[in-house]
């Protein structure tokens, strides 16, 4: 009698960058520990089950708290995925939660024409603690990366799969630490993993990677009583982009035109000014209120419903492509990877 062949297990590449998930307790608080994830994974029995994907683990050295992750590390992750892209069904990136939404956004712009999932996850409680969220985030993240056809950079956390450039960290201690305020979840992991198929992007054709460069970018959050003069000195020709977190639909205090004078200096310097809302949900639409007139005068553009994380990383991306200012401004207002939707007026 012919032996039934076991179906081939899918393969996932896990890239461990650091973060709480693999941290240990030290005299100075939690800190990442090399070798820890490898040994913890070898003890999780479920991972050797035939319906779980097989995996290879790449551990970075040093492992980082995600506060220290920026353009250099995004580039490294991008290169590591590109090199191994054909060898795996999907990628799972273990990452600290503090800046995970930035890395997810950056990778979503860095990669074009994706055909497989790149999923970031981590945890609020380290894997070594008896009660933790790490184990489920890891196991479910791995299952989704290996078994589902989701050609996007996503973030899996607290039972939700979120488009990477729509994610934002909303809690420093809840186990549901991330949300997607302006876009539906891509999947809910309840009793079953239910994909929200109509919101998942179509697979691409021929992966492309854009290498990011470092650029001077600033984020300025408006608050009542803000003394704009404080920020005058940062408006140099080196500043390539500034994201203004404005009130509501993109409004700023009049304050005798003080901000506008400063932003006009930014405009003369060739700095791209993008306006996002500081509300968790909704859009910044310049022109909706008179209180946004000064921003329009200074040549600012609407970030619509983009998260600040998406606006910042999109600036890095477009500046790295070396486009001229007008083209960058146009693309900042255009949906490139599902990161924004222009409201219909
Ligand atoms: N500070 C940690 C980090 O972002 C927090 C976490 O992982 O939850 O690396």
């Amino acid at each position: 009698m012919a032996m039934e062949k076991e179906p081939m297990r899918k393969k996932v590449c896990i890239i461990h960058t650091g973060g709480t998930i693999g941290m240990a307790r030290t005299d100075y608080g939690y800190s990442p520990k090399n070798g820890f994830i490898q040994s913890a994974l070898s003890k999780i029995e479920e991972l050797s089950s035939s319906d779980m994907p097989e995996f290879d683990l790449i551990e970075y050295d040093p492992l980082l708290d995600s506060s220290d992750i920026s353009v250099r590390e995004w580039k490294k992750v991008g290169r590591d995925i590109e090199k191994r892209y054909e060898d795996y069904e999907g990628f799972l990136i273990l990452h600290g939660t503090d800046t995970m939404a930035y890395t997810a956004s950056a990778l979503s712009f860095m990669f074009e024409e994706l055909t497989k999932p790149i999923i970031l996850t981590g945890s609020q409680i380290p894997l070594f603690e008896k009660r933790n969220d790490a184990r489920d985030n890891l196991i479910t993240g791995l299952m989704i990366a290996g078994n589902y056809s989701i050609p996007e950079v996503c973030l899996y956390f607290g039972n939700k799969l979120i488009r990477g450039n729509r994610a934002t960290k909303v809690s420093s201690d809840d186990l549901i630490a991330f949300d997607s305020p302006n876009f539906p979840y891509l999947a809910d992991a309840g009793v079953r993993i239910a994909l929200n198929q109509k919101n998942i992007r179509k697979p691409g054709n021929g992966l492309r990677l854009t290498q990011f460069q470092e650029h001077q970018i600033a984020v300025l959050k408006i608050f009542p009583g803000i003394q704009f003069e404080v920020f005058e000195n940062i408006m140099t020709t080196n500043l390539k982009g500034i994201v203004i977190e404005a009130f509501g639909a993109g409004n700023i205090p009049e304050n005798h035109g003080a901000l506008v004078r400063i932003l006009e200096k930014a405009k003369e310097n060739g700095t791209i000014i993008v306006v996002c809302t500081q509300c968790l949900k909704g859009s910044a639409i310049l022109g909706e209120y008179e209180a946004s007139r000064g921003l329009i005068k200074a040549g600012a553009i609407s970030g619509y419903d983009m998260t600040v994380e998406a606006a910042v990383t999109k600036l890095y991306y477009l500046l790295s492509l070396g486009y001229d200012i007008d083209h960058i401004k146009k693309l900042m207002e255009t949906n490139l990877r599902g990161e924004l939707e222009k409201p219909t007026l």
Side-chain angles (χ1 to χ4, degrees):
M1 201 171 70
M3 291 273 281
E4 255 193 47
K5 251 179 138 188
E6 285 243 337
M8 282 266 283
R9 285 170 72 187
K10 305 281 176 55
K11 260 190 120 177
V12 170
C13 177
I14 302 181
I15 299 179
H16 179 30
T17 67
T20 297
I21 192 161
M23 286 192 186
R25 238 189 242 126
T26 72
D27 292 345
Y28 307 100
Y30 286 138
S31 177
K33 195 164 173 240
N34 281 92
F36 177 76
I37 280 280
Q38 175 83 66
S39 98
L41 291 179
S42 67
K43 290 183 197 128
I44 302 180
E45 257 175 51
E46 291 88 329
L47 294 181
S48 47
S49 143
S50 61
D51 48 12
M52 282 300 291
E54 286 179 316
F55 61 86
D56 292 323
L57 174 70
I58 299 172
E59 182 172 276
Y60 284 180
D61 190 10
L63 290 168
L64 296 173
D65 185 292
S66 75
S67 336
D68 287 320
I69 289 195
S70 93
V71 179
R72 210 170 71 127
E73 290 72 30
W74 299 341
K75 286 166 68 172
K76 179 166 167 49
V77 174
R79 275 197 307 268
D80 283 338
I81 292 177
E82 189 193 29
K83 264 193 273 171
R84 298 167 176 83
Y85 192 70
E86 297 308 330
D87 305 336
Y88 296 94
E89 238 67 47
F91 294 83
L92 183 68
I93 301 168
L94 306 183
H95 195 289
T97 58
D98 290 345
T99 66
M100 193 187 291
Y102 283 94
T103 301
S105 288
L107 293 175
S108 80
F109 293 115
M110 197 179 274
F111 285 109
E112 252 168 289
E113 304 283 337
L114 273 181
T115 51
K116 42 186 88 171
I118 297 176
I119 297 178
L120 288 98
T121 198
S123 67
Q124 295 277 60
I125 309 176
L127 197 49
F128 82 84
E129 298 279 11
K130 286 191 189 58
R131 196 186 138 259
N132 69 65
D133 56 332
R135 191 184 152 92
D136 179 65
N137 286 346
L138 211 145
I139 293 179
T140 311
L142 187 62
M143 278 178 137
I144 299 176
N147 297 335
Y148 289 79
S149 169
I150 303 173
E152 296 215 28
V153 176
C154 318
L155 190 153
Y156 177 75
F157 214 94
N159 299 333
K160 306 286 179 211
L161 186 71
I162 299 173
R163 174 169 297 154
N165 54 36
R166 293 291 195 158
T168 194
K169 186 171 178 182
V170 291
S171 174
S172 62
D173 46 20
D174 284 350
L175 299 188
I176 301 191
F178 290 89
D179 205 354
S180 177
N182 284 324
F183 197 74
Y185 301 126
L186 298 185
D188 281 280
V191 174
R192 272 166 227 93
I193 296 176
L195 295 196
N196 187 349
Q197 200 66 58
K198 72 174 191 315
N199 286 306
I200 295 176
R201 289 166 66 79
K202 302 279 167 288
N205 190 0
L207 183 79
R208 272 203 309 278
L209 174 85
T210 299
Q211 271 307 356
F212 275 32
Q213 295 156 1
E214 318 236 355
H215 289 282
Q216 284 194 8
I217 292 172
V219 177
L220 172 55
K221 183 165 185 164
I222 307 295
F223 56 92
I226 183 169
Q227 305 216 347
F228 292 116
E229 301 71 20
V230 174
F231 303 98
E232 195 153 1
N233 289 339
I234 67 166
M235 302 299 172
T236 68
T237 49
N238 288 330
L239 186 68
K240 299 294 176 221
I242 181 160
V243 177
I244 308 275
E245 276 192 65
F247 298 137
N251 304 317
I252 53 163
E254 213 286 321
N255 199 2
H256 310 293
L259 178 61
V260 174
R261 272 195 303 282
I262 291 167
L263 290 182
E264 279 176 353
K265 189 168 157 196
K267 185 183 173 190
E268 276 163 37
N269 288 339
T271 305
I272 295 152
I273 308 163
V274 186
V275 182
C276 289
T277 175
Q278 52 185 253
C279 300
L280 183 59
K281 216 172 159 172
S283 282
I285 312 159
L286 298 183
E288 185 150 307
Y289 286 87
E290 194 179 354
S292 67
R293 252 178 76 187
L295 289 167
I296 298 175
K297 201 160 153 242
I301 51 171
S302 305
Y304 299 114
D305 61 349
M306 265 191 294
T307 58
V308 169
E309 293 90 327
V312 167
T313 53
K314 191 171 175 181
L315 274 171
Y316 275 119
Y317 168 60
L318 295 174
L319 289 163
S320 301
L321 285 167
Y323 294 143
D324 65 46
I325 293 175
D326 287 334
H327 196 48
I328 295 182
K329 282 167 88 169
K330 191 166 155 236
L331 292 179
M332 279 306 291
E333 289 192 322
T334 307
N335 177 23
L336 301 181
R337 306 276 195 281
E339 75 282 7
L340 72 78
E341 191 176 342
K342 282 191 193 181
T344 37
L345 297 174

